[in-house]
Amino acid sequence: MNSLKDEQSPYLLQHKDNPVHWRPWGEEAFRVAKAEDRPIFLSIGYSTCHWCHVMEQESFEDTAVAGLLNAGFVSIKVDREERPDVDGVYMALCQLITGHGGWPLTVIMTPDKKPFFVGTYIPKHRRFDRAGMLDLLPQITNLWTTRREEVLAAAEHHHILLRNEALKGEAGEPLALDSIDIAYDELRLRYDNRNGGFGGAPKFPTTHHILFLLRFWQASKDLLALQMAGLTLMRMRLGGVFDHVGLGFHRYATDAEWKLPHFEKMLYDQALIALACIEMYQAGRERRYAAIAEEVFTYVQRTFLAPEGAFYSAEDADSEGIEGKFYGWTTREVHEVLGATLATAFIEAYGLEDEGNFLDETTRTKNGENIPFLRHRIEDMALNRGISPDVLEDMLLEARERLFVRRNERVRPGLDDKILTDWNGLMIVALARAGAALDAPAYTEAARRAA
């Protein structure tokens, strides 16, 4: 074991048996780096992050990579959800330098915390013109040893960038009322009027945009703002980014149509989406939006509820080392579980195909697995089948319940059982507002227990 064995973070404990001699963030690590005159290799991630798992399996469990890290660096692991302050600083630099961010976040810096290299996921071997760990680490060790002045100059440059960025945030112009109109116009221009949401792939819920649109509609009575908010929520609910078998929302969609999710599920997403749905229900009194919030609360209370009443943080994207394995279905398994009549209805309604309905991210081919998403509205599908929407809905409900039972026999994704005050605060707000808006005392009581 390395120095992470006594930590509390589930993410850090995932790495306690790595051959890399990880240390937690703290003065001890920086004292050792200064004493031994070695750079810091900082890796930031979180326990339900798919690419964090990939980098661990490829590199941090590999003795060759571990040997390079242990010989030339002091290695520090950080859980971004435990130390958002640390993550925020270096993620800001990553976005400034590379134009994008993400996790795992990889930073190499001097013992006095000045970074001279920053990136995200790094493969073990060179791939697609991207240096691998086995190339990068010896190069940096050589630079540190033979061209220290250049390294320190780069570190100082990055330090100044960070300092200037921090100063920008300290004093801005006062917001004027026209800032609201400018924000609305920018969202309107980025809005996807076919699929809902903003921009293209990958597509995130960006619930703060939806909440802004609802408040803007309330103030201006601009119906387009209300329509943008409503269509986005409904398209998300119909898409594969919503777990139609087990409920709850995945973190984001890898496509522009909300079909194929990135599979981790986060407490804060559930809270903010439920909150937006409650406000959407209050705006137009359409029951379908309240129903989405109720589905989210069912999932959260079934999966994230701690015995004391607060809520855990997240469910992993991976199970058995494979992203999304818990969530996929073959048409053969659906027929086996449901029988011919129900299986035919479910497969037609939820877009399943014998060859699979998405491309595997590694092979870029279909592998027979399907992620359910609703192709059309239930009313339209019922009309095509010559039955009432209620009958079709009852059939699909029975199908989902049977598939839910079968899916629970699989190995579940890992649960991050950290209890974070800020994310719980969001869920408390969502439950409390739902309790008032829906006249549902059980939600109010759940909010009270969590508080």
Side-chain angles (χ1 to χ4, degrees):
M1 288 186 176
N2 51 44
S3 297
L4 302 181
K5 65 183 185 301
D6 296 322
E7 294 298 306
Q8 296 186 42
S9 158
Y11 176 64
L12 298 187
L13 291 173
Q14 284 175 357
H15 293 268
K16 66 182 175 60
D17 295 316
N18 294 167
V20 178
H21 187 75
W22 294 114
R23 291 174 166 86
W25 180 275
E27 288 308 313
E28 172 65 13
F30 296 103
R31 185 191 63 76
V32 171
K34 288 178 181 176
E36 299 182 0
D37 192 30
R38 289 195 280 167
I40 300 283
F41 181 92
L42 172 64
S43 179
I44 302 176
Y46 57 104
S47 72
T48 59
C49 164
H50 169 64
W51 286 104
C52 299
H53 299 327
V54 172
M55 193 165 175
E56 179 186 20
Q57 291 159 8
E58 288 181 348
S59 294
F60 301 145
E61 293 178 351
D62 180 76
T63 54
V65 174
L68 293 171
L69 285 169
N70 295 340
F73 302 82
V74 170
S75 299
I76 296 177
K77 258 287 173 199
V78 166
D79 180 344
R80 76 166 181 108
E81 294 162 1
E82 187 177 46
R83 293 301 303 263
D85 53 338
V86 175
D87 176 63
V89 169
Y90 296 112
M91 183 58 72
L93 180 65
C94 182
Q95 291 169 335
L96 279 171
I97 299 299
T98 69
H100 64 271
W103 297 276
L105 179 61
T106 303
V107 183
I108 304 177
M109 56 187 175
T110 65
D112 57 356
K113 306 177 187 175
K114 293 181 179 180
F116 56 88
F117 174 90
V118 64
T120 52
Y121 161 76
I122 301 172
K124 177 183 174 183
H125 298 285
R126 176 175 289 276
R127 190 186 306 164
F128 308 124
D129 294 326
R130 176 185 289 188
M133 291 287 281
L134 292 177
D135 310 306
L136 178 68
L137 296 176
Q139 291 172 9
I140 289 179
T141 298
N142 181 59
L143 285 171
W144 183 256
T145 304
T146 63
R147 296 160 64 183
R148 180 76 62 91
E149 288 185 4
E150 294 177 34
V151 172
L152 295 179
E156 188 60 31
H157 173 68
H158 290 166
H159 180 67
I160 291 170
L161 281 177
L162 275 174
R163 187 179 62 196
N164 290 343
E165 192 67 16
L167 290 174
K168 282 183 187 176
E170 289 180 1
E173 293 297 319
L175 286 174
L177 282 176
D178 64 353
S179 301
I180 297 172
D181 296 321
I182 292 168
Y184 174 62
D185 288 341
E186 290 183 358
L187 286 178
R188 185 169 48 80
L189 290 172
R190 292 175 51 213
Y191 177 66
D192 180 345
N193 58 19
R194 179 179 178 183
N195 303 303
F198 304 89
K203 188 170 277 184
F204 287 79
T206 53
T207 325
H208 47 289
H209 293 346
I210 300 171
L211 290 167
F212 170 83
L213 289 170
L214 287 167
R215 310 295 173 83
F216 185 85
W217 166 79
Q218 180 67 30
S220 68
K221 303 307 177 188
D222 186 326
L223 281 177
L224 180 60
L226 189 63
Q227 291 165 1
M228 287 194 287
L231 181 67
T232 298
L233 289 171
M234 195 49 59
R235 291 296 188 197
M236 285 165 49
R237 170 58 179 81
L238 297 178
V241 75
F242 179 76
D243 180 0
H244 291 271
V245 173
L247 308 180
F249 283 87
H250 299 291
R251 187 159 174 257
Y252 64 88
T254 60
D255 60 287
E257 298 177 319
W258 304 107
K259 289 180 180 177
L260 180 63
H262 183 54
F263 292 91
E264 65 210 75
K265 292 179 177 177
M266 317 299 289
L267 178 64
Y268 62 82
D269 282 327
Q270 314 309 317
L272 288 168
I273 291 170
L275 186 59
C277 287
I278 291 299
E279 290 202 13
M280 189 70 207
Y281 165 72
Q282 290 176 302
R285 311 309 290 183
E286 290 188 66
R287 178 66 196 151
R288 57 182 178 162
Y289 294 107
I292 300 172
E294 290 167 343
E295 289 172 327
V296 168
F297 295 141
T298 297
Y299 165 72
V300 167
Q301 292 180 313
R302 184 167 60 207
T303 307
F304 287 166
L305 184 61
E308 301 83 0
F311 298 99
Y312 300 135
S313 293
E315 267 199 304
D316 210 322
D318 296 18
S319 55
E320 301 182 80
I322 300 173
E323 184 185 15
K325 182 174 183 179
F326 183 72
Y327 299 100
W329 298 94
T330 63
T331 53
R332 170 185 279 186
E333 187 177 12
V334 171
H335 274 283
E336 178 187 323
V337 175
L338 300 182
T341 302
L342 277 183
T344 300
F346 185 86
I347 287 169
E348 179 187 336
Y350 287 97
L352 275 59
E353 302 172 7
D354 289 342
E355 66 273 23
N357 66 3
F358 65 91
L359 296 178
D360 181 272
E361 69 177 1
T362 303
T363 64
R364 306 307 299 167
T365 60
K366 294 183 177 182
N367 61 5
E369 293 287 325
N370 292 272
I371 300 302
F373 62 87
L374 278 168
R375 283 176 163 173
H376 309 288
R377 297 190 317 142
I378 296 292
E379 294 81 359
D380 296 334
M381 289 186 283
L383 181 63
N384 291 337
R385 294 173 69 90
I387 58 177
S388 77
D390 289 344
V391 169
L392 180 57
E393 185 56 68
D394 287 344
M395 291 174 65
L396 295 177
L397 176 61
E398 182 182 351
R400 293 194 303 269
E401 288 174 345
R402 288 197 202 175
L403 292 172
F404 179 73
V405 172
R406 168 61 71 90
R407 199 176 76 176
N408 279 345
E409 297 172 3
R410 302 175 181 176
V411 176
R412 285 198 69 89
L415 178 68
D416 185 335
D417 62 357
K418 286 197 310 299
I419 293 176
L420 297 171
T421 303
D422 52 354
W423 294 7
N424 269 265
L426 293 172
M427 184 53 69
I428 289 165
V429 169
L431 284 165
R433 292 193 183 167
L438 305 179
D439 192 20
Y443 292 150
T444 307
E445 180 55 30
R448 186 176 291 112
R449 287 191 68 222

